Amino acid sequence: MKRMHCWFGCTLAWLFVTAGAYQTMAQEYLNGIEWKEPAIITPGATNSEPPSDAVILFNGKDKSHWKNADTWKIEGDALVAGRGSITSVDEFEDCQVHIEWSAATPAKGSGQGRSNSGVFLMNKYELQVLDSYDNKTYHDGQAGAIYKQTPPLVNAMRKPGEWNTYDIFWTAPRFNDDGSLKSPAYITAVHNGALILNHFELKGDTPFNRPPEYKKHAAKGPIGLQDHGDPVRFRNIWVRPLSPVEGKQARKPFLRNGDKETPIEK
Ligand code: MG
């Protein structure tokens, strides 16, 4: 009798589960949006190599993609910081940036004086480059900081002379016609594979001597690399301009169950 009881109960449970699953399988949610097919690109052979849609800013060979770079020297496959900051010829709005950099060896100086440089998005918003390996400074000024706004989530520095990688995901700020801020800039960044900035909302630009502020500027801007007097080395610099996915709401979202379609009213 006990066994019979179990058989009955188990069968009943199975029927319920199966019926539930069938119902879930049979009914499909459709959002009613007709998406444009995402562009097909060819990824790089490794994650540090540029995908086919990247704009190459430095490939180890020439400085033609940079302005004011006369005193920046190419040594081996690296671009070594010289006198005066440089800016890319190409300008970008929302973008993905890949850049590799190496602090000078042997390490010289301390605090902000050790292999200081910076990646300036739109030539205004600094992601700090600094030798933060065994080198203390204020936390919102160490490597991976948005200068004077936030420290990185972690310190993922490699030793001086070794190559660091920044992968940056940048959302440019937007401005209204009257010059007021429409939406702030956001940055996500990965340092040597570790997330250091997670959709951080910038409070404005990143100067040393005053609070951050937003001032209306062009929709696009160049990438800047800072000269802070230290021979920081850069290589393998590329940028992918980002544009939003495209689609149109062709109809209201609906549920499909066989031939039956039920609009979802919200
Ligand atoms: Mg700097």
Side-chain angles (χ1 to χ4, degrees):
M1 183 62 198
K2 208 170 177 185
R3 202 169 179 163
M4 188 74 176
H5 186 77
C6 175
W7 177 89
F8 182 73
C10 292
T11 307
L12 204 61
W14 178 83
L15 276 171
F16 273 117
V17 169
T18 309
Y22 177 75
Q23 193 164 21
T24 307
M25 296 278 284
Q27 178 174 287
E28 182 186 6
Y29 162 73
L30 293 111
N31 60 29
I33 301 172
E34 287 177 358
W35 296 109
K36 182 181 169 189
E37 184 184 358
I40 296 169
I41 64 167
T42 307
T46 67
N47 287 347
S48 66
E49 288 178 30
S52 56
D53 61 346
V55 177
I56 313 293
L57 295 186
F58 183 67
N59 62 1
K61 293 188 179 76
D62 73 83
K63 300 181 286 186
S64 61
H65 291 272
W66 296 91
K67 294 179 185 171
N68 195 38
D70 289 353
T71 61
W72 289 50
K73 291 197 166 56
I74 297 176
E75 290 179 7
D77 62 352
L79 183 61
V80 186
R83 288 193 314 281
S85 300
I86 63 174
T87 50
S88 64
V89 174
D90 292 286
E91 300 194 346
F92 307 94
E93 190 174 27
D94 299 343
C95 58
Q96 173 185 350
V97 182
H98 175 95
I99 185 163
E100 298 172 25
W101 58 275
S102 169
T105 180
K108 247 174 58 181
S110 62
Q112 292 289 302
R114 187 184 292 187
S115 280
N116 192 332
S117 182
V119 179
F120 279 69
L121 287 309
M122 310 189 91
N123 205 28
K124 290 182 191 308
Y125 308 98
E126 183 182 12
L127 172 62
Q128 177 68 301
V129 166
L130 189 79
D131 179 2
S132 289
Y133 187 88
D134 201 18
N135 177 37
K136 295 280 188 212
T137 185
Y138 43 94
H139 299 311
D140 55 10
Q142 70 183 70
I146 293 299
Y147 189 69
K148 298 269 186 173
Q149 294 193 23
T150 183
L153 294 169
V154 292
N155 179 345
M157 274 299 294
R158 294 201 168 112
K159 291 178 182 171
E162 296 183 6
W163 285 99
N164 289 273
T165 299
Y166 280 164
D167 285 294
I168 303 162
F169 309 92
W170 176 253
T171 303
R174 265 68 170 174
F175 297 90
N176 296 307
D177 290 342
D178 67 0
S180 60
L181 183 68
K182 188 175 183 184
S183 58
Y186 294 95
I187 188 168
T188 295
V190 175
H191 183 188
N192 296 330
L195 184 69
I196 55 166
L197 297 165
N198 188 9
H199 198 58
F200 175 75
E201 179 184 321
L202 277 81
K203 298 169 179 71
D205 59 358
T206 54
F208 173 75
N209 58 354
R210 61 159 172 77
E213 66 181 20
Y214 278 112
K215 264 194 180 160
K216 188 179 181 187
H217 55 72
K220 292 183 176 185
I223 304 291
L225 296 180
Q226 185 186 40
D227 162 34
H228 204 283
D230 300 324
V232 179
R233 305 164 80 82
F234 295 92
R235 73 176 185 188
N236 201 14
I237 309 170
W238 48 263
V239 182
R240 295 184 56 247
L242 302 175
S243 38
V245 291
E246 289 179 45
K248 64 171 192 285
Q249 192 76 49
R251 56 181 292 187
K252 284 183 175 174
F254 61 103
L255 299 172
R256 180 186 286 152
N257 200 336
D259 291 339
K260 193 176 164 214
E261 294 184 351
T262 313
I264 298 172
E265 304 291 346
K266 283 191 205 169

